[in-house]
Amino acid sequence: MNSFQVRPGAEKMAWKILRTLFPRFGFTGRDRARLLNLITLISLDDFLSRGWVSWKGPPPSEKRLRFRKGSVELVDRSSGRVWFAREFDTGAVELALRQTEKILDHYRLGEDEKSALFTALPCVGLAALHPHLTWRRPPPFSELG
């Protein structure tokens, strides 16, 4: 079976979007990190439920994503509720959606900016999770490059 991955051009464009939007709206480091994990969880749940992606083995439990010097890395979860699982229950996804909306509303983002973050954050987040995932079809980030 072929395994696909996030294309480097898409990841590069996602970083460009994040380096533009985060400073423009004054996102704190904490909110950037929370959105990275929340939106990646939401997207991952969608891709898992559609069968587009699967875990290669047990998910990296008790881990979270972290921005680190122009990249994203998987680190031990020191606090918070967001971590990765083979399947997410509906309550976890709904909570992630509510928390995401609350953060985005705080910064008064327009629909275009929200849409850009809902594309760029999972692109870099899922690229960091690539060693743990098998894509059964190309990741849907073609609009990024």
Side-chain angles (χ1 to χ4, degrees):
M1 172 189 298
N2 288 339
S3 179
F4 301 94
Q5 63 185 42
V6 175
R7 293 188 359 219
E11 194 174 357
K12 182 178 178 181
M13 182 56 78
W15 279 107
K16 193 174 194 177
I17 290 168
L18 297 175
R19 283 192 295 269
T20 300
L21 290 179
F22 281 158
R24 180 185 303 162
F25 288 92
F27 280 88
T28 65
R30 181 174 183 256
D31 284 341
R32 292 177 191 201
R34 289 176 63 208
L35 285 173
L36 172 64
N37 284 280
L38 291 166
I39 293 176
T40 299
L41 179 148
I42 294 163
S43 295
L44 182 57
D45 175 67
D46 181 44
F47 298 145
L48 286 167
S49 68
R50 292 176 189 227
W52 291 5
V53 69
S54 62
W55 293 107
K56 287 181 180 175
S61 62
E62 299 296 314
K63 301 281 187 183
R64 65 181 175 84
L65 297 170
R66 176 174 75 178
F67 287 113
R68 175 98 174 152
K69 298 181 182 176
S71 67
V72 173
E73 64 183 5
L74 197 59
V75 298
D76 290 333
R77 180 179 71 92
S78 57
S79 64
R81 294 181 179 205
V82 178
W83 64 89
F84 300 99
R86 186 162 298 282
E87 294 177 6
F88 300 103
D89 65 38
T90 304
V93 176
E94 289 176 2
L95 178 62
L97 282 166
R98 282 194 309 272
Q99 289 176 339
T100 297
E101 283 301 316
K102 184 177 178 180
I103 294 168
L104 296 178
D105 288 348
H106 172 79
Y107 291 99
R108 295 182 174 92
L109 270 70
E111 290 306 313
D112 289 343
E113 290 87 2
K114 288 178 184 180
S115 178
L117 287 179
F118 266 92
T119 302
L121 286 167
C123 181
V124 299
L126 293 170
L129 287 170
H130 176 72
H132 303 281
L133 298 173
T134 298
W135 285 92
R136 296 172 187 218
R137 60 181 289 173
F141 303 115
S142 60
E143 68 270 18
L144 293 175

